[in-house]
Amino acid sequence: MDSLGDTSGMSSSAVPVCSSRCLLSPLSRSLSRSGKSILHIDPNNYYGGADAAFSLQEAETWASSITAATDNDRGTFKSASITKPDGNTGLSFPRAYTLALSPQVIHARSKLLSQLVSSRAYRHVEFLAVGSFYIFKPTTRSSQKPSLVRIPSTREDVFFTTAIPTKAKRGLMKFLKFVLGYDSEQQLETWQPYADGPLADFLKNEFKMDAELQTYILALTLSLDGLITTRDGLSTIYRHLTSMGVFGPGFAAVYPKWGGISEVAQVACRAGAVGGAVYMLATGIREMEMSGDSIELRLTSGDTVKTRMLVRNDKNAEVGNGVSRLAAIVGSPLKSLFEALVEGAPLPAVAVITFPAGSLMTTSGKAYDYPVYAFAHSSDTGECPVGQSILYLTTSTTPDAKEILAQSLQLLSEAIDADHIPLSLFQMYHEHGRGSVASRPDGSIFNFPDASLSLLFDDSTLEPVHEAWKQVMGEAEVDTDYMTFPDREGVMDDEDMYD
């Protein structure tokens, strides 16, 4: 149980309690900057919780701990394993690598980026361009090897692509124009009858798209089950299209260097400490006792803390299926995936590849019903040495998921270069179950939902952070103060590393 609390106005021995999960870290920072006393505890000995990133040695230790843990102790992680070839594998030293447990890309129009700017935390996170989105094409009678086809996501892309027939291009152009005004009164009448149904049905009925063209659109949503609703699908694609070019030509999304979303947690924790928050890793809550408006917490460290407000993350509630992930370090720079295709665009550090539902086969010979997504990361992410890359593959957890991810890794390697298939140097597989998905205010205790499994950073996950902030601060505070911090007086940027 990860927790956050506030004890402003109480005795000096009483301090609040909080978690180092990615989204609770900015919360503790915001509260500490708003004059609250914050104690931020986490039973893990690392920052970020389910959003953490590990060196190779840390990854092996973590995987072993998940394997050895009981169901209650491992939280929403259900299994983890490490695979590496025998002998001299070509790996560098362990800390030359950073493997993210939950890699996510962030649209340029994301509210998260706006909050990082208003809170001044953006100065300490380096963002890299997410380049092309690709569709995986399996072997056919006319093609003896699998291939990758780039997804056009602007009108110019559609015009120049040779992968889509002319008639289909017109339908795609019409759809892209529709999405840019999808929330207008006229367009609402078109899609609202389909709002809660699959986006695929809307594309088929209103834009006459065939199954193949639908996969191009669905791939941009990064939907884990491929069944995203029309309402959510249009919103996601709108954000993708309007994010294009915001930070530079040729890309719509970014990725934080040095470990992805976990880097945001690290920066927030350090900035919170500058603001007066106290952090305790490898510390949990052993017992909790309520007395009036006071909560007494007995910690596993032996300390006792009193607080008037507690925000905690219950990691054990499981709701539905989760995701299976495979992170693979490969001995190749995979240069063909990281090309700048627009003049003046930065060299991308991340590429996204979609294996559409039905494009892979299970060991029993049946078509796999779920999509698989692969994030290819170059060494520019800081996650591996020059000359190597990391492939993160994700799909919904099923009995066939582990074999499907292994198959996807092999086919992706062949599609990139069938003549020089890069050697896999290290693999980490893990399954992440779904935890609680809604916040539950309960008097002086705020139960925080578990980490999102989405591959696109979901702005809706920021809402519980704001709810918790308001509950701790009280109604007297105005929302304009939320996540908006002035520069510290008399401190220059290069002097204040984490403000």
Side-chain angles (χ1 to χ4, degrees), residues 4 23-36 38 115 119 268-269 271-273 275 277 279 465-466 468-470 472-473 479 481-485:
L4 162 82
L23 293 178
L24 282 177
S25 300
L27 174 61
S28 64
R29 185 201 180 202
S30 178
L31 292 172
S32 69
R33 285 296 302 267
S34 299
K36 299 298 181 180
I38 300 297
Q115 290 186 358
S119 67
C269 287
Y279 290 79
V465 182
H466 196 184
W469 184 85
K470 289 189 290 187
V472 174
M473 295 298 297
D479 284 353
D481 293 334
Y482 177 65
M483 291 293 181
T484 303
F485 308 135

PDB file of all heavy atoms in Angstrom, residues 4 23-36 38 115 119 268-269 271-273 275 277 279 465-466 468-470 472-473 479 481-485:
ATOM      1  N   LEU A   4      -0.118   8.747   0.788  1.00  0.00           N
ATOM      2  CA  LEU A   4       0.238  10.149   0.947  1.00  0.00           C
ATOM      3  C   LEU A   4      -0.682  10.769   1.957  1.00  0.00           C
ATOM      4  O   LEU A   4      -1.864  10.508   1.965  1.00  0.00           O
ATOM      5  CB  LEU A   4       0.094  10.878  -0.385  1.00  0.00           C
ATOM      6  CG  LEU A   4       0.013  12.403  -0.327  1.00  0.00           C
ATOM      7  CD1 LEU A   4       1.399  12.979  -0.214  1.00  0.00           C
ATOM      8  CD2 LEU A   4      -0.697  12.947  -1.509  1.00  0.00           C
ATOM      9  N   LEU A  23       2.124   9.258 -10.858  1.00  0.00           N
ATOM     10  CA  LEU A  23       1.176  10.340 -10.727  1.00  0.00           C
ATOM     11  C   LEU A  23       1.043  10.854  -9.303  1.00  0.00           C
ATOM     12  O   LEU A  23       0.593  11.973  -9.089  1.00  0.00           O
ATOM     13  CB  LEU A  23      -0.192   9.893 -11.262  1.00  0.00           C
ATOM     14  CG  LEU A  23      -0.219   9.653 -12.769  1.00  0.00           C
ATOM     15  CD1 LEU A  23      -1.592   9.182 -13.204  1.00  0.00           C
ATOM     16  CD2 LEU A  23       0.172  10.908 -13.533  1.00  0.00           C
ATOM     17  N   LEU A  24       1.419  10.059  -8.302  1.00  0.00           N
ATOM     18  CA  LEU A  24       1.370  10.559  -6.935  1.00  0.00           C
ATOM     19  C   LEU A  24       2.594  11.409  -6.611  1.00  0.00           C
ATOM     20  O   LEU A  24       2.562  12.230  -5.700  1.00  0.00           O
ATOM     21  CB  LEU A  24       1.258   9.395  -5.948  1.00  0.00           C
ATOM     22  CG  LEU A  24      -0.145   8.786  -5.843  1.00  0.00           C
ATOM     23  CD1 LEU A  24      -0.141   7.600  -4.893  1.00  0.00           C
ATOM     24  CD2 LEU A  24      -1.154   9.814  -5.391  1.00  0.00           C
ATOM     25  N   SER A  25       3.657  11.247  -7.374  1.00  0.00           N
ATOM     26  CA  SER A  25       4.856  12.058  -7.148  1.00  0.00           C
ATOM     27  C   SER A  25       4.600  13.534  -7.449  1.00  0.00           C
ATOM     28  O   SER A  25       4.945  14.400  -6.638  1.00  0.00           O
ATOM     29  CB  SER A  25       6.021  11.523  -7.988  1.00  0.00           C
ATOM     30  OG  SER A  25       6.304  10.188  -7.639  1.00  0.00           O
ATOM     31  N   PRO A  26       3.993  13.880  -8.610  1.00  0.00           N
ATOM     32  CA  PRO A  26       3.651  15.296  -8.822  1.00  0.00           C
ATOM     33  C   PRO A  26       2.667  15.817  -7.783  1.00  0.00           C
ATOM     34  O   PRO A  26       2.694  16.995  -7.432  1.00  0.00           O
ATOM     35  CB  PRO A  26       3.018  15.286 -10.225  1.00  0.00           C
ATOM     36  CG  PRO A  26       3.617  14.111 -10.905  1.00  0.00           C
ATOM     37  CD  PRO A  26       3.755  13.071  -9.817  1.00  0.00           C
ATOM     38  N   LEU A  27       1.783  14.954  -7.273  1.00  0.00           N
ATOM     39  CA  LEU A  27       0.849  15.382  -6.237  1.00  0.00           C
ATOM     40  C   LEU A  27       1.596  15.807  -4.978  1.00  0.00           C
ATOM     41  O   LEU A  27       1.327  16.859  -4.401  1.00  0.00           O
ATOM     42  CB  LEU A  27      -0.144  14.267  -5.919  1.00  0.00           C
ATOM     43  CG  LEU A  27      -1.091  14.524  -4.739  1.00  0.00           C
ATOM     44  CD1 LEU A  27      -1.950  15.759  -5.010  1.00  0.00           C
ATOM     45  CD2 LEU A  27      -1.961  13.302  -4.473  1.00  0.00           C
ATOM     46  N   SER A  28       2.557  14.987  -4.537  1.00  0.00           N
ATOM     47  CA  SER A  28       3.301  15.339  -3.326  1.00  0.00           C
ATOM     48  C   SER A  28       4.111  16.600  -3.545  1.00  0.00           C
ATOM     49  O   SER A  28       4.244  17.438  -2.647  1.00  0.00           O
ATOM     50  CB  SER A  28       4.211  14.184  -2.898  1.00  0.00           C
ATOM     51  OG  SER A  28       5.203  13.927  -3.864  1.00  0.00           O
ATOM     52  N   ARG A  29       4.622  16.768  -4.756  1.00  0.00           N
ATOM     53  CA  ARG A  29       5.364  17.994  -5.036  1.00  0.00           C
ATOM     54  C   ARG A  29       4.450  19.212  -4.967  1.00  0.00           C
ATOM     55  O   ARG A  29       4.787  20.240  -4.371  1.00  0.00           O
ATOM     56  CB  ARG A  29       5.996  17.911  -6.424  1.00  0.00           C
ATOM     57  CG  ARG A  29       6.873  19.133  -6.683  1.00  0.00           C
ATOM     58  CD  ARG A  29       7.133  19.399  -8.134  1.00  0.00           C
ATOM     59  NE  ARG A  29       7.975  20.584  -8.256  1.00  0.00           N
ATOM     60  CZ  ARG A  29       8.052  21.327  -9.345  1.00  0.00           C
ATOM     61  NH1 ARG A  29       7.354  21.011 -10.402  1.00  0.00           N
ATOM     62  NH2 ARG A  29       8.841  22.377  -9.393  1.00  0.00           N
ATOM     63  N   SER A  30       3.252  19.093  -5.571  1.00  0.00           N
ATOM     64  CA  SER A  30       2.308  20.203  -5.577  1.00  0.00           C
ATOM     65  C   SER A  30       1.888  20.572  -4.158  1.00  0.00           C
ATOM     66  O   SER A  30       1.818  21.754  -3.807  1.00  0.00           O
ATOM     67  CB  SER A  30       1.075  19.832  -6.402  1.00  0.00           C
ATOM     68  OG  SER A  30       0.122  20.864  -6.391  1.00  0.00           O
ATOM     69  N   LEU A  31       1.629  19.571  -3.330  1.00  0.00           N
ATOM     70  CA  LEU A  31       1.212  19.836  -1.953  1.00  0.00           C
ATOM     71  C   LEU A  31       2.340  20.460  -1.131  1.00  0.00           C
ATOM     72  O   LEU A  31       2.115  21.348  -0.314  1.00  0.00           O
ATOM     73  CB  LEU A  31       0.718  18.550  -1.299  1.00  0.00           C
ATOM     74  CG  LEU A  31      -0.595  17.980  -1.854  1.00  0.00           C
ATOM     75  CD1 LEU A  31      -0.876  16.611  -1.253  1.00  0.00           C
ATOM     76  CD2 LEU A  31      -1.747  18.928  -1.575  1.00  0.00           C
ATOM     77  N   SER A  32       3.562  19.976  -1.359  1.00  0.00           N
ATOM     78  CA  SER A  32       4.686  20.540  -0.603  1.00  0.00           C
ATOM     79  C   SER A  32       4.921  21.996  -0.989  1.00  0.00           C
ATOM     80  O   SER A  32       5.236  22.832  -0.136  1.00  0.00           O
ATOM     81  CB  SER A  32       5.960  19.712  -0.831  1.00  0.00           C
ATOM     82  OG  SER A  32       6.437  19.844  -2.156  1.00  0.00           O
ATOM     83  N   ARG A  33       4.733  22.315  -2.280  1.00  0.00           N
ATOM     84  CA  ARG A  33       4.881  23.702  -2.723  1.00  0.00           C
ATOM     85  C   ARG A  33       3.719  24.581  -2.260  1.00  0.00           C
ATOM     86  O   ARG A  33       3.814  25.804  -2.275  1.00  0.00           O
ATOM     87  CB  ARG A  33       4.989  23.754  -4.255  1.00  0.00           C
ATOM     88  CG  ARG A  33       6.318  23.310  -4.819  1.00  0.00           C
ATOM     89  CD  ARG A  33       7.467  24.219  -4.400  1.00  0.00           C
ATOM     90  NE  ARG A  33       7.258  25.596  -4.787  1.00  0.00           N
ATOM     91  CZ  ARG A  33       7.700  26.135  -5.902  1.00  0.00           C
ATOM     92  NH1 ARG A  33       8.386  25.404  -6.757  1.00  0.00           N
ATOM     93  NH2 ARG A  33       7.472  27.413  -6.173  1.00  0.00           N
ATOM     94  N   SER A  34       2.593  23.945  -1.872  1.00  0.00           N
ATOM     95  CA  SER A  34       1.418  24.684  -1.395  1.00  0.00           C
ATOM     96  C   SER A  34       1.402  24.794   0.122  1.00  0.00           C
ATOM     97  O   SER A  34       0.387  25.139   0.715  1.00  0.00           O
ATOM     98  CB  SER A  34       0.142  24.003  -1.885  1.00  0.00           C
ATOM     99  OG  SER A  34       0.080  23.976  -3.297  1.00  0.00           O
ATOM    100  N   GLY A  35       2.523  24.466   0.764  1.00  0.00           N
ATOM    101  CA  GLY A  35       2.654  24.683   2.192  1.00  0.00           C
ATOM    102  C   GLY A  35       2.270  23.516   3.067  1.00  0.00           C
ATOM    103  O   GLY A  35       2.197  23.658   4.289  1.00  0.00           O
ATOM    104  N   LYS A  36       2.036  22.345   2.473  1.00  0.00           N
ATOM    105  CA  LYS A  36       1.669  21.181   3.263  1.00  0.00           C
ATOM    106  C   LYS A  36       2.914  20.380   3.636  1.00  0.00           C
ATOM    107  O   LYS A  36       3.886  20.331   2.878  1.00  0.00           O
ATOM    108  CB  LYS A  36       0.701  20.290   2.481  1.00  0.00           C
ATOM    109  CG  LYS A  36      -0.614  20.969   2.101  1.00  0.00           C
ATOM    110  CD  LYS A  36      -1.401  21.377   3.331  1.00  0.00           C
ATOM    111  CE  LYS A  36      -2.718  22.038   2.966  1.00  0.00           C
ATOM    112  NZ  LYS A  36      -3.494  22.435   4.138  1.00  0.00           N
ATOM    113  N   ILE A  38       4.647  16.957   3.938  1.00  0.00           N
ATOM    114  CA  ILE A  38       4.443  15.718   3.192  1.00  0.00           C
ATOM    115  C   ILE A  38       5.472  14.666   3.586  1.00  0.00           C
ATOM    116  O   ILE A  38       6.679  14.933   3.601  1.00  0.00           O
ATOM    117  CB  ILE A  38       4.554  15.964   1.664  1.00  0.00           C
ATOM    118  CG1 ILE A  38       3.499  16.974   1.216  1.00  0.00           C
ATOM    119  CG2 ILE A  38       4.415  14.675   0.890  1.00  0.00           C
ATOM    120  CD1 ILE A  38       2.077  16.519   1.417  1.00  0.00           C
ATOM    121  N   GLN A 115       1.165  20.756 -17.638  1.00  0.00           N
ATOM    122  CA  GLN A 115       1.415  20.851 -16.202  1.00  0.00           C
ATOM    123  C   GLN A 115       2.906  20.862 -15.889  1.00  0.00           C
ATOM    124  O   GLN A 115       3.335  21.523 -14.936  1.00  0.00           O
ATOM    125  CB  GLN A 115       0.715  19.709 -15.475  1.00  0.00           C
ATOM    126  CG  GLN A 115      -0.802  19.834 -15.470  1.00  0.00           C
ATOM    127  CD  GLN A 115      -1.476  18.769 -14.620  1.00  0.00           C
ATOM    128  OE1 GLN A 115      -0.823  17.894 -14.054  1.00  0.00           O
ATOM    129  NE2 GLN A 115      -2.792  18.827 -14.547  1.00  0.00           N
ATOM    130  N   SER A 119       4.379  24.008 -13.834  1.00  0.00           N
ATOM    131  CA  SER A 119       5.027  23.721 -12.551  1.00  0.00           C
ATOM    132  C   SER A 119       6.541  23.877 -12.613  1.00  0.00           C
ATOM    133  O   SER A 119       7.231  23.606 -11.634  1.00  0.00           O
ATOM    134  CB  SER A 119       4.677  22.292 -12.107  1.00  0.00           C
ATOM    135  OG  SER A 119       5.248  21.333 -12.982  1.00  0.00           O
ATOM    136  N   ALA A 268       9.769  14.747 -10.191  1.00  0.00           N
ATOM    137  CA  ALA A 268       8.779  15.255  -9.239  1.00  0.00           C
ATOM    138  C   ALA A 268       9.197  14.961  -7.800  1.00  0.00           C
ATOM    139  O   ALA A 268       9.030  15.801  -6.903  1.00  0.00           O
ATOM    140  CB  ALA A 268       7.414  14.641  -9.527  1.00  0.00           C
ATOM    141  N   CYS A 269       9.745  13.776  -7.561  1.00  0.00           N
ATOM    142  CA  CYS A 269      10.190  13.428  -6.209  1.00  0.00           C
ATOM    143  C   CYS A 269      11.332  14.339  -5.753  1.00  0.00           C
ATOM    144  O   CYS A 269      11.347  14.814  -4.614  1.00  0.00           O
ATOM    145  CB  CYS A 269      10.630  11.969  -6.157  1.00  0.00           C
ATOM    146  SG  CYS A 269       9.267  10.771  -6.212  1.00  0.00           S
ATOM    147  N   ALA A 271      12.025  17.355  -6.884  1.00  0.00           N
ATOM    148  CA  ALA A 271      11.512  18.710  -6.708  1.00  0.00           C
ATOM    149  C   ALA A 271      10.695  18.809  -5.430  1.00  0.00           C
ATOM    150  O   ALA A 271      10.717  19.824  -4.731  1.00  0.00           O
ATOM    151  CB  ALA A 271      10.664  19.108  -7.920  1.00  0.00           C
ATOM    152  N   GLY A 272       9.951  17.754  -5.103  1.00  0.00           N
ATOM    153  CA  GLY A 272       9.193  17.737  -3.859  1.00  0.00           C
ATOM    154  C   GLY A 272      10.094  17.825  -2.648  1.00  0.00           C
ATOM    155  O   GLY A 272       9.786  18.495  -1.656  1.00  0.00           O
ATOM    156  N   ALA A 273      11.235  17.156  -2.725  1.00  0.00           N
ATOM    157  CA  ALA A 273      12.197  17.203  -1.623  1.00  0.00           C
ATOM    158  C   ALA A 273      12.742  18.616  -1.439  1.00  0.00           C
ATOM    159  O   ALA A 273      12.928  19.084  -0.311  1.00  0.00           O
ATOM    160  CB  ALA A 273      13.339  16.221  -1.877  1.00  0.00           C
ATOM    161  N   GLY A 275      11.069  21.208  -2.042  1.00  0.00           N
ATOM    162  CA  GLY A 275       9.969  21.942  -1.448  1.00  0.00           C
ATOM    163  C   GLY A 275       9.672  21.556  -0.016  1.00  0.00           C
ATOM    164  O   GLY A 275       8.757  22.103   0.595  1.00  0.00           O
ATOM    165  N   ALA A 277       9.242  18.126   1.124  1.00  0.00           N
ATOM    166  CA  ALA A 277       8.692  16.794   1.320  1.00  0.00           C
ATOM    167  C   ALA A 277       9.788  15.838   1.791  1.00  0.00           C
ATOM    168  O   ALA A 277      10.957  15.991   1.436  1.00  0.00           O
ATOM    169  CB  ALA A 277       8.067  16.274   0.021  1.00  0.00           C
ATOM    170  N   TYR A 279      10.958  11.779   1.923  1.00  0.00           N
ATOM    171  CA  TYR A 279      10.731  10.528   1.196  1.00  0.00           C
ATOM    172  C   TYR A 279      11.354   9.360   1.949  1.00  0.00           C
ATOM    173  O   TYR A 279      12.481   9.451   2.428  1.00  0.00           O
ATOM    174  CB  TYR A 279      11.328  10.619  -0.213  1.00  0.00           C
ATOM    175  CG  TYR A 279      10.549  11.564  -1.106  1.00  0.00           C
ATOM    176  CD1 TYR A 279      10.741  12.934  -1.002  1.00  0.00           C
ATOM    177  CD2 TYR A 279       9.601  11.088  -2.004  1.00  0.00           C
ATOM    178  CE1 TYR A 279      10.016  13.815  -1.779  1.00  0.00           C
ATOM    179  CE2 TYR A 279       8.870  11.957  -2.793  1.00  0.00           C
ATOM    180  CZ  TYR A 279       9.073  13.322  -2.674  1.00  0.00           C
ATOM    181  OH  TYR A 279       8.345  14.190  -3.443  1.00  0.00           O
ATOM    182  N   VAL A 465      -5.509  12.989  -9.431  1.00  0.00           N
ATOM    183  CA  VAL A 465      -4.464  13.793  -8.791  1.00  0.00           C
ATOM    184  C   VAL A 465      -5.055  15.137  -8.362  1.00  0.00           C
ATOM    185  O   VAL A 465      -4.835  15.611  -7.236  1.00  0.00           O
ATOM    186  CB  VAL A 465      -3.273  14.001  -9.743  1.00  0.00           C
ATOM    187  CG1 VAL A 465      -2.173  14.806  -9.056  1.00  0.00           C
ATOM    188  CG2 VAL A 465      -2.726  12.672 -10.231  1.00  0.00           C
ATOM    189  N   HIS A 466      -5.824  15.741  -9.265  1.00  0.00           N
ATOM    190  CA  HIS A 466      -6.454  17.021  -8.958  1.00  0.00           C
ATOM    191  C   HIS A 466      -7.505  16.856  -7.857  1.00  0.00           C
ATOM    192  O   HIS A 466      -7.618  17.696  -6.956  1.00  0.00           O
ATOM    193  CB  HIS A 466      -7.092  17.609 -10.218  1.00  0.00           C
ATOM    194  CG  HIS A 466      -7.419  19.066 -10.109  1.00  0.00           C
ATOM    195  ND1 HIS A 466      -8.066  19.767 -11.099  1.00  0.00           N
ATOM    196  CD2 HIS A 466      -7.191  19.957  -9.107  1.00  0.00           C
ATOM    197  CE1 HIS A 466      -8.221  21.017 -10.715  1.00  0.00           C
ATOM    198  NE2 HIS A 466      -7.695  21.165  -9.511  1.00  0.00           N
ATOM    199  N   ALA A 468      -7.519  14.645  -5.444  1.00  0.00           N
ATOM    200  CA  ALA A 468      -6.816  14.469  -4.169  1.00  0.00           C
ATOM    201  C   ALA A 468      -6.248  15.795  -3.679  1.00  0.00           C
ATOM    202  O   ALA A 468      -6.282  16.102  -2.480  1.00  0.00           O
ATOM    203  CB  ALA A 468      -5.705  13.431  -4.333  1.00  0.00           C
ATOM    204  N   TRP A 469      -5.707  16.596  -4.591  1.00  0.00           N
ATOM    205  CA  TRP A 469      -5.158  17.904  -4.221  1.00  0.00           C
ATOM    206  C   TRP A 469      -6.236  18.778  -3.585  1.00  0.00           C
ATOM    207  O   TRP A 469      -6.020  19.412  -2.549  1.00  0.00           O
ATOM    208  CB  TRP A 469      -4.576  18.584  -5.453  1.00  0.00           C
ATOM    209  CG  TRP A 469      -3.893  19.893  -5.192  1.00  0.00           C
ATOM    210  CD1 TRP A 469      -2.593  20.090  -4.799  1.00  0.00           C
ATOM    211  CD2 TRP A 469      -4.462  21.203  -5.298  1.00  0.00           C
ATOM    212  NE1 TRP A 469      -2.329  21.428  -4.671  1.00  0.00           N
ATOM    213  CE2 TRP A 469      -3.457  22.136  -4.971  1.00  0.00           C
ATOM    214  CE3 TRP A 469      -5.726  21.662  -5.658  1.00  0.00           C
ATOM    215  CZ2 TRP A 469      -3.679  23.500  -4.980  1.00  0.00           C
ATOM    216  CZ3 TRP A 469      -5.957  23.035  -5.665  1.00  0.00           C
ATOM    217  CH2 TRP A 469      -4.937  23.942  -5.326  1.00  0.00           C
ATOM    218  N   LYS A 470      -7.427  18.803  -4.202  1.00  0.00           N
ATOM    219  CA  LYS A 470      -8.521  19.619  -3.664  1.00  0.00           C
ATOM    220  C   LYS A 470      -8.983  19.111  -2.307  1.00  0.00           C
ATOM    221  O   LYS A 470      -9.324  19.904  -1.427  1.00  0.00           O
ATOM    222  CB  LYS A 470      -9.689  19.650  -4.658  1.00  0.00           C
ATOM    223  CG  LYS A 470      -9.409  20.464  -5.908  1.00  0.00           C
ATOM    224  CD  LYS A 470     -10.631  20.652  -6.770  1.00  0.00           C
ATOM    225  CE  LYS A 470     -11.064  19.385  -7.439  1.00  0.00           C
ATOM    226  NZ  LYS A 470     -12.177  19.625  -8.410  1.00  0.00           N
ATOM    227  N   VAL A 472      -7.167  17.557  -0.052  1.00  0.00           N
ATOM    228  CA  VAL A 472      -6.161  17.898   0.958  1.00  0.00           C
ATOM    229  C   VAL A 472      -6.141  19.405   1.230  1.00  0.00           C
ATOM    230  O   VAL A 472      -6.069  19.847   2.379  1.00  0.00           O
ATOM    231  CB  VAL A 472      -4.761  17.423   0.520  1.00  0.00           C
ATOM    232  CG1 VAL A 472      -3.691  17.913   1.491  1.00  0.00           C
ATOM    233  CG2 VAL A 472      -4.727  15.906   0.413  1.00  0.00           C
ATOM    234  N   MET A 473      -6.237  20.205   0.170  1.00  0.00           N
ATOM    235  CA  MET A 473      -6.121  21.658   0.324  1.00  0.00           C
ATOM    236  C   MET A 473      -7.372  22.278   0.910  1.00  0.00           C
ATOM    237  O   MET A 473      -7.307  23.298   1.584  1.00  0.00           O
ATOM    238  CB  MET A 473      -5.809  22.304  -1.035  1.00  0.00           C
ATOM    239  CG  MET A 473      -4.466  21.911  -1.620  1.00  0.00           C
ATOM    240  SD  MET A 473      -3.065  22.408  -0.594  1.00  0.00           S
ATOM    241  CE  MET A 473      -3.232  24.181  -0.611  1.00  0.00           C
ATOM    242  N   ASP A 479      -8.555  26.775  -7.851  1.00  0.00           N
ATOM    243  CA  ASP A 479      -7.918  25.825  -8.750  1.00  0.00           C
ATOM    244  C   ASP A 479      -6.786  26.440  -9.560  1.00  0.00           C
ATOM    245  O   ASP A 479      -5.947  25.738 -10.102  1.00  0.00           O
ATOM    246  CB  ASP A 479      -8.960  25.225  -9.701  1.00  0.00           C
ATOM    247  CG  ASP A 479      -9.833  24.191  -9.009  1.00  0.00           C
ATOM    248  OD1 ASP A 479      -9.526  23.877  -7.851  1.00  0.00           O
ATOM    249  OD2 ASP A 479     -10.793  23.715  -9.622  1.00  0.00           O
ATOM    250  N   ASP A 481      -4.303  27.835  -8.561  1.00  0.00           N
ATOM    251  CA  ASP A 481      -3.021  27.582  -7.916  1.00  0.00           C
ATOM    252  C   ASP A 481      -2.496  26.180  -8.196  1.00  0.00           C
ATOM    253  O   ASP A 481      -1.346  25.866  -7.884  1.00  0.00           O
ATOM    254  CB  ASP A 481      -3.147  27.747  -6.389  1.00  0.00           C
ATOM    255  CG  ASP A 481      -3.420  29.191  -6.001  1.00  0.00           C
ATOM    256  OD1 ASP A 481      -3.032  30.078  -6.774  1.00  0.00           O
ATOM    257  OD2 ASP A 481      -4.025  29.407  -4.945  1.00  0.00           O
ATOM    258  N   TYR A 482      -3.326  25.332  -8.753  1.00  0.00           N
ATOM    259  CA  TYR A 482      -2.959  23.926  -8.915  1.00  0.00           C
ATOM    260  C   TYR A 482      -1.902  23.758  -9.994  1.00  0.00           C
ATOM    261  O   TYR A 482      -2.072  24.197 -11.138  1.00  0.00           O
ATOM    262  CB  TYR A 482      -4.206  23.116  -9.265  1.00  0.00           C
ATOM    263  CG  TYR A 482      -3.941  21.659  -9.530  1.00  0.00           C
ATOM    264  CD1 TYR A 482      -3.470  20.823  -8.524  1.00  0.00           C
ATOM    265  CD2 TYR A 482      -4.139  21.119 -10.791  1.00  0.00           C
ATOM    266  CE1 TYR A 482      -3.212  19.487  -8.770  1.00  0.00           C
ATOM    267  CE2 TYR A 482      -3.901  19.783 -11.038  1.00  0.00           C
ATOM    268  CZ  TYR A 482      -3.437  18.963 -10.030  1.00  0.00           C
ATOM    269  OH  TYR A 482      -3.185  17.648 -10.282  1.00  0.00           O
ATOM    270  N   MET A 483      -0.799  23.129  -9.642  1.00  0.00           N
ATOM    271  CA  MET A 483       0.307  22.825 -10.552  1.00  0.00           C
ATOM    272  C   MET A 483       0.855  24.076 -11.241  1.00  0.00           C
ATOM    273  O   MET A 483       1.418  23.988 -12.327  1.00  0.00           O
ATOM    274  CB  MET A 483      -0.121  21.810 -11.612  1.00  0.00           C
ATOM    275  CG  MET A 483      -0.369  20.416 -11.067  1.00  0.00           C
ATOM    276  SD  MET A 483       1.140  19.623 -10.471  1.00  0.00           S
ATOM    277  CE  MET A 483       0.492  18.025  -9.951  1.00  0.00           C
ATOM    278  N   THR A 484       0.688  25.235 -10.615  1.00  0.00           N
ATOM    279  CA  THR A 484       1.226  26.472 -11.173  1.00  0.00           C
ATOM    280  C   THR A 484       2.140  27.092 -10.131  1.00  0.00           C
ATOM    281  O   THR A 484       1.678  27.632  -9.118  1.00  0.00           O
ATOM    282  CB  THR A 484       0.097  27.459 -11.537  1.00  0.00           C
ATOM    283  OG1 THR A 484      -0.790  26.833 -12.454  1.00  0.00           O
ATOM    284  CG2 THR A 484       0.670  28.718 -12.154  1.00  0.00           C
ATOM    285  N   PHE A 485       3.445  27.013 -10.367  1.00  0.00           N
ATOM    286  CA  PHE A 485       4.415  27.472  -9.381  1.00  0.00           C
ATOM    287  C   PHE A 485       5.303  28.560  -9.982  1.00  0.00           C
ATOM    288  O   PHE A 485       5.836  28.381 -11.090  1.00  0.00           O
ATOM    289  CB  PHE A 485       5.318  26.319  -8.921  1.00  0.00           C
ATOM    290  CG  PHE A 485       4.557  25.114  -8.453  1.00  0.00           C
ATOM    291  CD1 PHE A 485       4.933  23.846  -8.859  1.00  0.00           C
ATOM    292  CD2 PHE A 485       3.464  25.242  -7.617  1.00  0.00           C
ATOM    293  CE1 PHE A 485       4.240  22.729  -8.446  1.00  0.00           C
ATOM    294  CE2 PHE A 485       2.764  24.133  -7.192  1.00  0.00           C
ATOM    295  CZ  PHE A 485       3.152  22.874  -7.613  1.00  0.00           C
TER     296      PHE A 485
END
